[in-house]
Amino acid sequence: MSTNLSRRKTLGLLAGAPVAMRAAASRAAAQGLADIARKAKITYGASAGAVIFDDADYRLLYLEHCRALTTDVDMKFDWLRPAADKWDWGPADRLADFALRTGMTLRGHTLIWNENAPDWLKKLSLAQIRRVFDEHIETVVSRYAGKVAVWDVVNEPFWPGHGKPGGYRTGPWYEAFGPDYIARALRRARAADPRAKLAINEAHCERMDAVGKGIRAGMRRLAAHLQDVDAPLDVLGFQGHLQPQLPFDDARFAAFLRRFAGLELHITELDVNDESFPDSIRRRDALVAARYGNFLEAVLAVPAVTTVINWQLADHYSWYAGLARAGQLRSRRAPRPLPFDSAYGRKPAWFAMARAFGRRKTG
Ligand code: G3I
């Protein structure tokens, strides 16, 4: 089979699985997306959570199509540390072990994010928060040293709506250190595992509205500042939660990417919000696919782009499906933001991605 694993090894991982599933594994003769991406010098993968251990068919999709795996929620601060005196390593360890056994590049997401802080953290004094910050990075990065290849050290540093100087997102870490929390986090992470690549991961940069403009300007200033102060930074991650209902301009986004000399660039959370598209599934899937294709063709023309990660693989496991279940989307229909449908069939988006990888000029 055409995964990065040998067929025997894959079937070993599926040992004990129903016959139908082992048959499905043997059937998977067509190329996986990661194989196609690799020829374009792109590492392709997806985020994953514990569900891959319960849903064997979904797990098989990762084995067939991914060379990289990002932890979706399981390495986040609030998931690792449900209480001040409690660490919950189980789910993160399991994903790390899975990535290691299957030869996937593991991306740790995320060490420091000013959102989703647990209540116990918010109740601490600033001095205590500073101690937790250092301890957290040291403990988590050391535990996964040699396993996590890339750390999203800081997630989403900017949110101009918070009204802070420079457009920074506020939250406990920002309040404790000011914007210097970013350089501090990078230095601590480097000290705990000198081999891991260190990334800053940002959202909304693809948007050509005031929010996108503000965040792009922030990222340019931040990258220059981190270089000035010699902070260890290897990678800029751009999430790529594409929002076709908002203004976008792929060529301008690609031009923005070209300005980051000396850094690797990763597309880290790719999906397409289909809320503004028509109800017809055929039409909707075609528009989602077109969005994937156009976006990828523009960004893949940037030589520094080395990695593309989808945020989950199949529609019903998307975070949009979670929002839909919680009644937080405008439409009541099931979102279709990803390359696979809920029966694990390849959607037009899959083929648009494969085409974009196939067309990349390398070398
Ligand atoms: O699993 C619990 C479940 O037990 C509980 O009953 C239910 C009730 O709300 O919540 C479930 O947890 C939810 C979890 O997703 C499930 O995976 C949390 O409430 C919900 O907050 C959490 O949302 C995650 C969100 O980040 C916040 O951490 C999404 O799954 C995750 O996909 C999303 O990922 C973010 C990236 O980290 C950063 N970029 C944007 C991206 C999408 O929002």
Side-chain angles (χ1 to χ4, degrees), residues 47 49 70-74 76 78-79 109-110 113 115-116 152 155-156 201-204 239 241 268-269 271 311-312 317-320 322-323 325-326:
S47 70
T70 302
T71 54
D72 183 329
V73 291
D74 292 308
K76 285 177 175 166
D78 50 331
W79 288 71
H109 177 83
T110 171
W113 188 14
E115 299 296 331
N116 296 300
D152 283 335
N155 192 46
E156 300 173 12
N201 190 45
E202 187 50 283
H204 304 298
Q239 295 182 3
H241 291 292
T268 52
E269 305 188 11
D271 57 17
W311 207 239
Q312 297 282 341
Y317 290 126
S318 162
W319 65 291
Y320 283 114
L323 294 181
R325 279 192 298 274

Side-chain angles (χ1 to χ4, degrees), residues 89-240:
W89 296 108
D93 283 357
R94 201 171 177 200
L95 277 176
D97 179 56
F98 175 79
L100 216 63
R101 279 189 299 129
T102 57
M104 293 193 207
T105 300
L106 180 64
R107 186 187 199 95
H109 177 83
T110 171
L111 291 170
I112 294 295
W113 188 14
N114 274 293
E115 299 296 331
N116 296 300
D119 287 342
W120 67 261
L121 181 74
K122 291 183 195 154
K123 287 182 191 143
L124 301 182
S125 69
L126 290 181
Q128 287 170 319
I129 291 177
R130 289 187 199 111
R131 276 197 295 277
V132 172
F133 182 96
D134 289 349
E135 170 219 43
H136 184 76
I137 295 172
E138 158 70 22
T139 309
V140 179
V141 177
S142 308
R143 184 181 186 91
Y144 296 110
K147 295 182 176 172
V148 166
V150 187
W151 271 110
D152 283 335
V153 178
V154 172
N155 192 46
E156 300 173 12
F158 294 101
W159 185 248
H162 283 169
K164 295 291 177 187
Y168 284 97
R169 184 182 293 273
T170 191
W173 312 122
Y174 179 90
E175 294 302 324
F177 295 104
D180 287 346
Y181 83 91
I182 298 171
R184 186 181 185 95
L186 291 165
R187 292 193 176 108
R188 297 272 156 172
R190 181 67 97 223
D193 180 5
R195 286 166 302 171
K197 287 186 183 174
L198 305 182
I200 292 176
N201 190 45
E202 187 50 283
H204 304 298
C205 291
E206 316 81 19
R207 289 166 57 167
M208 291 297 146
D209 59 0
V211 169
K213 188 176 174 194
I215 296 180
R216 285 195 301 280
M219 286 294 276
R220 278 198 297 268
R221 278 195 305 269
L222 177 60
H225 168 72
L226 292 172
Q227 202 175 18
D228 284 350
V229 300
D230 258 333
L233 174 67
D234 308 297
V235 175
L236 289 180
F238 296 96
Q239 295 182 3

